[in-house]
Amino acid sequence: MGSGISPDKSDDDGEKPTDVTVSSSPSDSDEQASTPTRDIPATKGGWVWRLWNWIPPPARYDVENPPKFTLWLNILFAFASCFTVSNLYYNQAVLNRIAETFDVTFERASSVATLMQAGYASGLLLICPLGDLFPRRPFILSLVAFTAALWIVLCLTHSFTVFSAVSFICGATTVTPQLMLPLVGDLAPAHRRASSLAVIVSGLSLGILVARILAGVMANYTDWRNIYWFGFGIQWVVVILLYIWMPAYPSKNPDGLNYFKMLGAVFYLLFTEPLLLQASIVSFLFSATFTSYWTTLSFLLSSPPYNYSSMNIGLFGLIGVVLIFTAPIYSRLVIDKVVPQFSAILGLSVELVGLIIGTTVGTFNVAGVVIQAISIDLGAQFTQIANRAAIYSIRPDARNRINTAYMVASFSGQLTGTAVGNRLYAQGGWVYSGSCSIAFIGFGIIVCLLRGPRETRWFGWRGGWAIRRDDLPPKKENVPTERALEEAASTDTEKKKGAVE
């Protein structure tokens, strides 16, 4: 998408994190940032409180020499995102077993999944913006630890009401991935931002897939509660790893912000930043297409001429595994080197081609369905990474609020795609729902073309059509060999003359 505002400048070595705002005045926030190893008096909570606030050497932050954003940190944040977002999807594969255990109807048991997603939506809107206010290390650690501690209730309770209520709360606090993405946007240099974000997005996608597969396998061979015990254990592993290695980055707004003004700023930014609105509309459209496909797929494959079993239908989810691991490579080779808008249009075009093939062929040939699945996953992944790389260049001090606005649009698109896709499929089958998705993606391409990659206003292509990014680090000029030999020979001659004189 268009940049709207000039991108962030990275350090010469391309490693030091950028966009971390530290007040120049000797405030309390600065003292905490520059001296994070300070012990907390025992009177303020004893050894537990002191241990929680103590920062291990690998995680200490030095204002004069900030920690580099390394590949290890990128992988660590992706791992944390993977196994926290999994919380939202364990239940989807075991709803029938939950109904049996709590002696409730399937319809009532399915409310657990709905409540978990509703809680997640609440967390996106009410909790994620706080990432612009609080220091990220204690904030993220507290959220993961709180969720892990509360998770034990889901492992033990025999009350369906309690199980449902706790599921909602855990859904609300499982927003760690949406805090990691803006954090990586802060820390990764501009010329590596897309590939760094792709690693986190791949972790998210892998977490959804792993949760469904693990839950299904474990529930098939053991008690369904074991997947919740697994979730309990892996969350504490995430807490320990982040506690040891996640740097104590200072707050981006150490002077504080009004919470309610922060929430209002989410929508204010959406309608005052042309780039954010453009990316959000595109996100709404491809999210609607994505969920429409996967919601109606089971209806198509379980009906003639396919008549596939639930197991065979479920295997279609494995199509995205290859794409999960190729996204960081594609981002490094392509998205990092071109303007995000080009990558977004390319991704949407891939989706459009796959949708046309799948909609016209999918009713009688499964190859069309497979091609559509690959194109939708591929296009959505690339478009989303490009969108995020673009919007994180807008306001470094408001990246969490920007991410919240973007995710509200994306989540709304998912709900719309599910509702519209099901409705159209009931009226006209696969062709009706697919045709609507084609219209969605076509409109998304038009939205991308309304603003150029360097346009700062709402419409237009001022700034040029060049595809290559303007903020890439300059290439090191290599002196040609012949020129180097001539200079060396000239230097040698001068030395000899000096010796004779």
Side-chain angles (χ1 to χ4, degrees), residues 23-263:
S23 173
S24 59
S25 60
S27 62
D28 293 338
S29 300
D30 289 334
E31 291 179 8
Q32 289 181 346
S34 59
T35 58
T37 60
R38 180 178 56 190
D39 285 342
I40 304 296
T43 55
K44 289 191 175 183
W47 67 271
V48 175
W49 181 252
R50 282 185 289 144
L51 179 64
W52 181 254
N53 285 276
W54 179 75
I55 299 176
R60 293 172 186 172
Y61 185 88
D62 183 0
V63 177
E64 300 298 329
N65 185 27
K68 295 179 180 180
F69 183 67
T70 61
L71 177 62
W72 160 243
L73 278 181
N74 207 171
I75 294 174
L76 173 63
F77 293 168
F79 178 85
S81 299
C82 175
F83 287 106
T84 50
V85 78
S86 296
N87 293 347
L88 304 172
Y89 298 95
Y90 291 133
N91 58 66
Q92 293 185 359
V94 297
L95 290 174
N96 59 325
R97 302 289 297 275
I98 291 175
E100 295 172 3
T101 299
F102 291 106
D103 193 23
V104 296
T105 64
F106 288 152
E107 182 179 5
R108 193 176 176 201
S110 66
S111 67
V112 172
T114 304
L115 285 169
M116 205 85 173
Q117 294 293 332
Y120 183 65
S122 302
L124 283 176
L125 184 60
L126 302 177
I127 297 177
C128 281
L130 293 172
D132 286 335
L133 177 61
F134 299 134
R136 267 74 60 88
R137 174 186 163 87
F139 185 42
I140 292 174
L141 280 175
S142 298
L143 282 175
V144 181
F146 175 82
T147 307
L150 193 60
W151 197 261
I152 191 71
V153 178
L154 300 177
C155 299
L156 299 173
T157 184
H158 294 286
S159 168
F160 183 75
T161 302
V162 172
F163 190 89
S164 300
V166 174
S167 293
F168 176 85
I169 298 172
C170 287
T173 54
T174 304
V175 291
T176 300
Q178 299 306 326
L179 294 169
M180 289 297 185
L181 285 162
L183 178 59
V184 172
D186 282 343
L187 305 178
H191 63 279
R192 280 180 43 207
R193 184 172 293 147
S195 54
S196 300
L197 289 170
V199 174
I200 307 299
V201 172
S202 294
L204 274 169
S205 303
L206 185 63
I208 296 171
L209 185 65
V210 166
R212 288 169 174 164
I213 293 176
L214 274 182
V217 171
M218 294 181 73
N220 191 54
Y221 295 102
T222 66
D223 185 73
W224 68 269
R225 298 261 193 183
N226 288 334
I227 189 59
Y228 278 84
W229 282 111
F230 171 82
F232 173 76
I234 199 69
Q235 286 180 85
W236 283 112
V237 171
V238 169
V239 171
I240 293 171
L241 292 176
L242 292 178
Y243 179 82
I244 295 174
W245 278 290
M246 184 178 183
Y249 305 109
S251 170
K252 296 167 65 178
N253 294 279
D255 295 330
L257 294 169
N258 181 279
Y259 176 68
F260 296 103
K261 288 184 178 180
M262 287 177 62
L263 295 182

Side-chain angles (χ1 to χ4, degrees), residues 254-319:
D255 295 330
L257 294 169
N258 181 279
Y259 176 68
F260 296 103
K261 288 184 178 180
M262 287 177 62
L263 295 182
V266 170
F267 300 97
Y268 175 80
L269 288 167
L270 188 61
F271 294 105
T272 57
E273 294 290 346
L275 170 58
L276 179 58
L277 181 61
Q278 183 186 33
S280 297
I281 292 174
V282 172
S283 176
F284 175 92
L285 294 168
F286 76 70
S287 296
T289 300
F290 185 87
T291 54
S292 175
Y293 171 80
W294 289 105
T295 301
T296 57
L297 179 66
S298 60
F299 301 146
L300 174 71
L301 296 181
S302 61
S303 306
Y306 302 115
N307 296 314
Y308 285 174
S309 66
S310 298
M311 174 67 76
N312 290 335
I313 295 173
L315 292 176
F316 272 74
L318 296 176
I319 292 174

Side-chain angles (χ1 to χ4, degrees), residues 415-465:
L415 296 177
T416 301
T418 301
V420 172
N422 287 337
R423 180 66 176 171
L424 290 176
Y425 191 92
Q427 291 182 348
W430 183 255
V431 175
Y432 270 37
S433 61
S435 298
C436 180
S437 295
I438 291 173
F440 279 164
I441 296 302
F443 183 57
I445 293 175
I446 293 174
V447 171
C448 284
L449 294 175
L450 290 177
R451 291 184 71 252
R454 297 167 185 83
E455 179 59 72
T456 58
R457 303 180 186 179
W458 292 97
F459 303 100
W461 278 75
R462 282 175 287 268
W465 296 71

Side-chain angles (χ1 to χ4, degrees), residues 325-459:
F325 294 102
T326 57
I329 300 173
Y330 172 85
S331 299
R332 185 72 177 122
L333 297 177
V334 179
I335 303 181
D336 273 339
K337 301 182 184 303
V338 299
V339 291
Q341 184 179 22
F342 175 78
S343 297
I345 293 174
L346 182 62
L348 292 174
S349 299
V350 170
E351 282 196 65
L352 184 61
V353 172
L355 280 166
I356 293 173
I357 294 173
T359 301
T360 55
V361 178
T363 54
F364 58 86
N365 193 318
V366 74
V369 181
V370 173
I371 291 172
Q372 186 171 343
I374 294 173
S375 67
I376 285 178
D377 277 0
L378 188 70
Q381 193 92 315
F382 295 163
T383 305
Q384 179 175 195
I385 294 168
N387 275 347
R388 289 186 181 278
I391 63 176
Y392 290 155
S393 67
I394 297 174
R395 283 270 306 274
D397 64 326
R399 283 196 173 122
N400 284 278
R401 282 165 284 174
I402 288 170
N403 185 71
T404 297
Y406 179 81
M407 285 305 301
V408 166
S410 177
F411 198 80
S412 299
Q414 294 175 28
L415 296 177
T416 301
T418 301
V420 172
N422 287 337
R423 180 66 176 171
L424 290 176
Y425 191 92
Q427 291 182 348
W430 183 255
V431 175
Y432 270 37
S433 61
S435 298
C436 180
S437 295
I438 291 173
F440 279 164
I441 296 302
F443 183 57
I445 293 175
I446 293 174
V447 171
C448 284
L449 294 175
L450 290 177
R451 291 184 71 252
R454 297 167 185 83
E455 179 59 72
T456 58
R457 303 180 186 179
W458 292 97
F459 303 100

